[in-house]
């Protein structure tokens, strides 16, 4: 064998050895590399990691916060109880404002900051009519507010000592309609829902919740904005039809039991409670006779100077307290 042949064989050997080593290393590297993480679904439950951390906001004071969601800058306000203890797990109440309103307006209207909860007031994006709105309305922005809600809950659970079994959502008008969207899409993460004068537009899409869902709904019979009997031109359902749909989804008995908690009052409040619902879920409706497009309150609020005969917020809070997700 010539010197050239021996040299050529040696070179070929080195090349072959290097190629094999590269193949082995490449395979090994691929085996060791973690697969790309799938984005977390908004409705997927997450363990709280914020317990024991000093809060980044002052307890007892409402603070404006910002977060990025879906490539968009979003904002919200948060109010911790004045005696907030980072070693104690707290419920969360998300309270969504109506069309054209703000986080500050919704805090004043719903008043959840007065309760022993982490009260959060998200802000909707500017919609097609130049006003703030939530997903599911014909005038809302092209944004995923369900994902925003999931991202917001992730942030809250990383910052504060959140009881992930006791997360709740309430809202007024378009915000109430969006709470209906959340009931359809996030029942694994949110334990109970409270739409008030809710606008349940067909643009919300199909409703196929993964489990029975607990809902308490308020609506005035003289609501001219979102009529109690519906608005076919806008695709808004009559409240009895909307409630019937939820009774069917929750597996409740079709006919509710009706009571009047204040029979001595001339303007009645009718309470409808469905029974026999699956997995201990609850469906309750407060039909406020004569009330307009308002968050019911026995004192004037920034919705109306005319009081109603019932305060919605404490009733909602009691309903929320009676519901928690199972582990």
């Amino acid at each position: 064998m010539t010197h050239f042949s021996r040299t050529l064989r040696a070179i070929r050997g080195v090349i072959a050895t290097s190629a094999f080593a590269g193949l082995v290393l490449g395979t090994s590297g691929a085996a060791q590399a973690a697969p790309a993480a799938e984005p977390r679904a908004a409705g997927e439950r997450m363990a709280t990691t914020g317990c024991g951390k000093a809060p980044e906001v002052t307890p007892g004071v409402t603070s404006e916060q910002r977060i990025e969601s879906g490539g968009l800058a979003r904002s919200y306000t948060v109010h911790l109880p004045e005696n907030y203890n980072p070693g104690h797990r707290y419920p969360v109440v998300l309270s969504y404002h109506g069309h054209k309103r703000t986080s500050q307006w919704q805090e004043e209207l719903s008043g959840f900051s007065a309760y022993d909860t982490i009260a959060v007031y998200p802000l909707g994006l500017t919609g097609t009519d130049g006003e703030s709105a939530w997903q599911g309305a014909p005038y809302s922005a092209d944004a995923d507010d369900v994902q925003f809600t999931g991202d917001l809950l992730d942030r809250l659970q990383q910052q504060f000592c959140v009881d992930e079994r006791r997360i709740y959502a309430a809202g007024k008008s378009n915000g109430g309609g969006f709470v209906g969207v959340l009931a359809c899409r996030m029942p694994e993460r949110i334990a109970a829902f409270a739409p008030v004068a809710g606008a349940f537009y067909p643009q919300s899409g199909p409703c196929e919740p993964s489990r029975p869902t607990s809902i308490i709904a308020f609506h005035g019979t003289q609501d001219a904005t979102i009529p109690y009997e519906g608005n076919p031109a806008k695709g808004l359902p009559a409240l009895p039809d909307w409630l019937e749909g939820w009774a069917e989804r929750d597996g409740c008995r079709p006919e509710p039991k009706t009571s009047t908690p204040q029979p001595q009052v001339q303007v009645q409040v009718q309470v409808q409670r469905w029974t026999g619902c699956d997995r201990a879920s609850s469906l309750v409706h407060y039909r406020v006779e004569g009330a307009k497009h308002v968050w019911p309150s026995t004192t004037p609020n920034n919705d109306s100077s005319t009081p109603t005969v019932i305060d919605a917020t404490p009733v909602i809070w009691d309903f929320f307290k009676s519901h928690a997700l199972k582990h």
Side-chain angles (χ1 to χ4, degrees), residues 44-81:
E44 182 183 347
R45 288 176 68 179
M46 175 183 133
T48 292
T49 58
C51 295
K53 296 180 180 178
E56 300 174 14
V57 299
T58 303
V61 177
T62 301
S63 304
E64 184 174 356
Q65 302 289 299
R66 299 186 183 280
I67 187 176
E68 182 176 310
S69 176
L72 299 171
R74 305 301 302 263
S75 64
Y76 61 96
T77 59
V78 60
H79 185 282
L80 301 183

Short mmCIF file of all heavy atoms in Angstrom, two decimals, residues 44-81:
data_model
loop_
_atom_site.label_atom_id
_atom_site.label_comp_id
_atom_site.label_asym_id
_atom_site.label_seq_id
_atom_site.Cartn_x
_atom_site.Cartn_y
_atom_site.Cartn_z
N GLU A 44 -56.92 26.11 32.56
CA GLU A 44 -56.20 25.07 33.29
C GLU A 44 -55.79 25.57 34.67
O GLU A 44 -55.21 26.64 34.81
CB GLU A 44 -54.96 24.67 32.49
CG GLU A 44 -54.13 23.56 33.10
CD GLU A 44 -52.89 23.25 32.28
OE1 GLU A 44 -52.79 23.72 31.13
OE2 GLU A 44 -51.99 22.57 32.82
N ARG A 45 -56.10 24.79 35.70
CA ARG A 45 -55.78 25.20 37.06
C ARG A 45 -54.27 25.21 37.28
O ARG A 45 -53.52 24.42 36.71
CB ARG A 45 -56.45 24.28 38.06
CG ARG A 45 -57.96 24.49 38.13
CD ARG A 45 -58.62 23.51 39.05
NE ARG A 45 -58.24 23.73 40.44
CZ ARG A 45 -58.72 22.99 41.44
NH1 ARG A 45 -59.56 22.01 41.21
NH2 ARG A 45 -58.35 23.25 42.69
N MET A 46 -53.84 26.13 38.13
CA MET A 46 -52.43 26.31 38.42
C MET A 46 -52.24 26.39 39.93
O MET A 46 -53.05 26.98 40.64
CB MET A 46 -51.93 27.60 37.76
CG MET A 46 -50.50 27.97 38.08
SD MET A 46 -50.07 29.56 37.29
CE MET A 46 -49.29 30.37 38.67
N ALA A 47 -51.18 25.79 40.43
CA ALA A 47 -50.89 25.85 41.87
C ALA A 47 -50.38 27.23 42.23
O ALA A 47 -49.56 27.83 41.52
CB ALA A 47 -49.88 24.79 42.25
N THR A 48 -50.84 27.77 43.34
CA THR A 48 -50.40 29.08 43.81
C THR A 48 -48.98 29.00 44.34
O THR A 48 -48.63 28.08 45.09
CB THR A 48 -51.34 29.58 44.92
OG1 THR A 48 -52.61 29.86 44.35
CG2 THR A 48 -50.80 30.84 45.59
N THR A 49 -48.15 29.96 43.96
CA THR A 49 -46.77 30.03 44.46
C THR A 49 -46.50 31.34 45.20
O THR A 49 -45.37 31.61 45.60
CB THR A 49 -45.77 29.91 43.29
OG1 THR A 49 -46.03 30.96 42.32
CG2 THR A 49 -45.89 28.56 42.59
N GLY A 50 -47.56 32.15 45.40
CA GLY A 50 -47.35 33.47 46.01
C GLY A 50 -47.46 33.50 47.52
O GLY A 50 -47.26 34.57 48.14
N CYS A 51 -47.76 32.37 48.16
CA CYS A 51 -47.88 32.38 49.61
C CYS A 51 -46.50 32.57 50.25
O CYS A 51 -45.51 32.02 49.77
CB CYS A 51 -48.52 31.08 50.10
SG CYS A 51 -50.24 30.88 49.57
N GLY A 52 -46.46 33.36 51.31
CA GLY A 52 -45.20 33.63 51.99
C GLY A 52 -44.43 34.81 51.42
O GLY A 52 -43.43 35.23 52.00
N LYS A 53 -44.88 35.37 50.31
CA LYS A 53 -44.20 36.50 49.68
C LYS A 53 -44.79 37.81 50.18
O LYS A 53 -46.01 37.94 50.32
CB LYS A 53 -44.33 36.44 48.16
CG LYS A 53 -43.66 35.25 47.51
CD LYS A 53 -43.86 35.29 45.99
CE LYS A 53 -43.22 34.11 45.30
NZ LYS A 53 -43.45 34.14 43.83
N ALA A 54 -43.92 38.77 50.43
CA ALA A 54 -44.41 40.10 50.78
C ALA A 54 -45.13 40.68 49.57
O ALA A 54 -44.63 40.60 48.44
CB ALA A 54 -43.24 41.00 51.17
N PRO A 55 -46.32 41.25 49.75
CA PRO A 55 -47.07 41.75 48.60
C PRO A 55 -46.37 42.93 47.93
O PRO A 55 -45.74 43.76 48.60
CB PRO A 55 -48.41 42.18 49.22
CG PRO A 55 -48.11 42.44 50.65
CD PRO A 55 -47.02 41.46 51.03
N GLU A 56 -46.50 42.98 46.61
CA GLU A 56 -45.88 44.06 45.84
C GLU A 56 -46.76 45.30 45.79
O GLU A 56 -46.37 46.31 45.21
CB GLU A 56 -45.59 43.57 44.42
CG GLU A 56 -44.63 42.38 44.38
CD GLU A 56 -44.46 41.83 42.97
OE1 GLU A 56 -44.86 42.52 42.01
OE2 GLU A 56 -43.93 40.71 42.83
N VAL A 57 -47.96 45.22 46.35
CA VAL A 57 -48.86 46.37 46.44
C VAL A 57 -49.22 46.58 47.90
O VAL A 57 -49.09 45.68 48.73
CB VAL A 57 -50.13 46.15 45.59
CG1 VAL A 57 -49.78 45.96 44.13
CG2 VAL A 57 -50.93 44.96 46.10
N THR A 58 -49.69 47.76 48.23
CA THR A 58 -50.03 48.10 49.60
C THR A 58 -51.42 47.56 49.95
O THR A 58 -52.40 47.91 49.28
CB THR A 58 -50.01 49.62 49.80
OG1 THR A 58 -48.72 50.13 49.44
CG2 THR A 58 -50.31 49.98 51.24
N PRO A 59 -51.53 46.70 50.95
CA PRO A 59 -52.85 46.21 51.35
C PRO A 59 -53.77 47.36 51.74
O PRO A 59 -53.34 48.37 52.31
CB PRO A 59 -52.54 45.32 52.56
CG PRO A 59 -51.13 44.85 52.32
CD PRO A 59 -50.45 46.04 51.71
N GLY A 60 -55.04 47.21 51.42
CA GLY A 60 -56.02 48.23 51.75
C GLY A 60 -56.07 49.39 50.79
O GLY A 60 -56.89 50.29 50.95
N VAL A 61 -55.22 49.38 49.77
CA VAL A 61 -55.17 50.46 48.78
C VAL A 61 -55.33 49.84 47.39
O VAL A 61 -54.66 48.85 47.07
CB VAL A 61 -53.84 51.23 48.85
CG1 VAL A 61 -53.78 52.30 47.77
CG2 VAL A 61 -53.66 51.85 50.24
N THR A 62 -56.19 50.40 46.57
CA THR A 62 -56.36 49.90 45.21
C THR A 62 -55.21 50.36 44.34
O THR A 62 -54.91 51.55 44.28
CB THR A 62 -57.69 50.38 44.62
OG1 THR A 62 -58.75 49.92 45.46
CG2 THR A 62 -57.90 49.84 43.22
N SER A 63 -54.55 49.43 43.66
CA SER A 63 -53.36 49.72 42.87
C SER A 63 -53.58 49.32 41.41
O SER A 63 -54.11 48.25 41.13
CB SER A 63 -52.14 48.96 43.41
OG SER A 63 -51.92 49.26 44.77
N GLU A 64 -53.14 50.18 40.51
CA GLU A 64 -53.22 49.86 39.08
C GLU A 64 -52.02 49.02 38.68
O GLU A 64 -50.88 49.32 39.06
CB GLU A 64 -53.27 51.14 38.24
CG GLU A 64 -53.44 50.87 36.76
CD GLU A 64 -53.63 52.14 35.93
OE1 GLU A 64 -53.70 53.23 36.54
OE2 GLU A 64 -53.69 52.03 34.69
N GLN A 65 -52.27 47.97 37.92
CA GLN A 65 -51.22 47.04 37.50
C GLN A 65 -51.31 46.81 36.00
O GLN A 65 -52.36 47.02 35.38
CB GLN A 65 -51.37 45.70 38.23
CG GLN A 65 -51.33 45.81 39.74
CD GLN A 65 -49.94 46.13 40.26
OE1 GLN A 65 -49.00 45.38 40.04
NE2 GLN A 65 -49.83 47.27 40.93
N ARG A 66 -50.21 46.32 35.42
CA ARG A 66 -50.17 46.05 33.98
C ARG A 66 -49.62 44.66 33.74
O ARG A 66 -48.83 44.14 34.53
CB ARG A 66 -49.33 47.10 33.24
CG ARG A 66 -49.89 48.51 33.40
CD ARG A 66 -49.15 49.53 32.55
NE ARG A 66 -49.66 50.87 32.79
CZ ARG A 66 -50.77 51.36 32.24
NH1 ARG A 66 -51.47 50.60 31.40
NH2 ARG A 66 -51.18 52.57 32.51
N ILE A 67 -50.04 44.09 32.62
CA ILE A 67 -49.60 42.75 32.25
C ILE A 67 -49.68 42.65 30.73
O ILE A 67 -50.48 43.36 30.09
CB ILE A 67 -50.50 41.68 32.92
CG1 ILE A 67 -49.96 40.28 32.69
CG2 ILE A 67 -51.92 41.78 32.43
CD1 ILE A 67 -50.74 39.20 33.41
N GLU A 68 -48.85 41.79 30.14
CA GLU A 68 -48.95 41.54 28.70
C GLU A 68 -49.69 40.22 28.49
O GLU A 68 -49.43 39.23 29.16
CB GLU A 68 -47.57 41.47 28.06
CG GLU A 68 -47.64 41.25 26.54
CD GLU A 68 -46.28 41.27 25.88
OE1 GLU A 68 -45.51 42.23 26.13
OE2 GLU A 68 -45.98 40.33 25.11
N SER A 69 -50.63 40.23 27.56
CA SER A 69 -51.39 39.02 27.25
C SER A 69 -51.69 39.01 25.76
O SER A 69 -52.23 39.99 25.23
CB SER A 69 -52.69 38.98 28.05
OG SER A 69 -53.47 37.85 27.69
N GLY A 70 -51.33 37.93 25.09
CA GLY A 70 -51.57 37.84 23.66
C GLY A 70 -50.88 38.93 22.87
O GLY A 70 -51.37 39.37 21.83
N GLY A 71 -49.72 39.39 23.36
CA GLY A 71 -48.97 40.44 22.68
C GLY A 71 -49.53 41.83 22.89
O GLY A 71 -49.07 42.79 22.26
N LEU A 72 -50.52 41.98 23.77
CA LEU A 72 -51.15 43.26 24.02
C LEU A 72 -50.91 43.71 25.46
O LEU A 72 -50.90 42.89 26.37
CB LEU A 72 -52.66 43.18 23.77
CG LEU A 72 -53.09 42.79 22.35
CD1 LEU A 72 -54.59 42.54 22.32
CD2 LEU A 72 -52.72 43.89 21.35
N ALA A 73 -50.73 45.00 25.66
CA ALA A 73 -50.60 45.56 27.00
C ALA A 73 -51.99 45.65 27.62
O ALA A 73 -52.90 46.24 27.03
CB ALA A 73 -49.95 46.93 26.94
N ARG A 74 -52.17 45.04 28.78
CA ARG A 74 -53.44 45.05 29.48
C ARG A 74 -53.25 45.64 30.87
O ARG A 74 -52.15 45.65 31.41
CB ARG A 74 -54.00 43.62 29.60
CG ARG A 74 -54.12 42.86 28.29
CD ARG A 74 -55.04 43.56 27.28
NE ARG A 74 -56.38 43.76 27.78
CZ ARG A 74 -57.41 42.94 27.52
NH1 ARG A 74 -57.23 41.86 26.80
NH2 ARG A 74 -58.61 43.22 27.99
N SER A 75 -54.34 46.12 31.44
CA SER A 75 -54.26 46.71 32.77
C SER A 75 -55.45 46.27 33.62
O SER A 75 -56.48 45.83 33.11
CB SER A 75 -54.17 48.24 32.70
OG SER A 75 -55.36 48.77 32.15
N TYR A 76 -55.28 46.42 34.92
CA TYR A 76 -56.30 46.05 35.89
C TYR A 76 -55.95 46.74 37.20
O TYR A 76 -54.84 47.23 37.38
CB TYR A 76 -56.35 44.53 36.07
CG TYR A 76 -55.06 43.92 36.59
CD1 TYR A 76 -54.87 43.66 37.95
CD2 TYR A 76 -54.02 43.60 35.72
CE1 TYR A 76 -53.69 43.11 38.42
CE2 TYR A 76 -52.83 43.05 36.19
CZ TYR A 76 -52.68 42.81 37.53
OH TYR A 76 -51.49 42.27 38.00
N THR A 77 -56.90 46.77 38.11
CA THR A 77 -56.60 47.25 39.46
C THR A 77 -56.82 46.09 40.43
O THR A 77 -57.65 45.21 40.19
CB THR A 77 -57.47 48.45 39.86
OG1 THR A 77 -58.86 48.10 39.80
CG2 THR A 77 -57.20 49.64 38.94
N VAL A 78 -56.07 46.12 41.53
CA VAL A 78 -56.16 45.06 42.53
C VAL A 78 -56.23 45.68 43.91
O VAL A 78 -55.58 46.70 44.18
CB VAL A 78 -54.97 44.08 42.41
CG1 VAL A 78 -53.64 44.78 42.62
CG2 VAL A 78 -55.12 42.92 43.38
N HIS A 79 -57.03 45.09 44.77
CA HIS A 79 -57.19 45.57 46.14
C HIS A 79 -57.05 44.39 47.09
O HIS A 79 -57.87 43.47 47.07
CB HIS A 79 -58.56 46.23 46.32
CG HIS A 79 -58.77 46.86 47.65
ND1 HIS A 79 -59.08 46.13 48.79
CD2 HIS A 79 -58.70 48.16 48.06
CE1 HIS A 79 -59.20 46.94 49.81
NE2 HIS A 79 -58.98 48.18 49.40
N LEU A 80 -55.99 44.41 47.90
CA LEU A 80 -55.81 43.39 48.92
C LEU A 80 -56.51 43.81 50.21
O LEU A 80 -56.60 45.01 50.51
CB LEU A 80 -54.32 43.19 49.23
CG LEU A 80 -53.38 42.76 48.10
CD1 LEU A 80 -51.98 42.55 48.65
CD2 LEU A 80 -53.89 41.52 47.41
N PRO A 81 -57.01 42.86 51.00
CA PRO A 81 -57.58 43.23 52.29
C PRO A 81 -56.56 44.01 53.13
O PRO A 81 -55.35 43.75 53.05
CB PRO A 81 -57.91 41.88 52.94
CG PRO A 81 -58.07 40.95 51.80
CD PRO A 81 -57.10 41.41 50.75
#
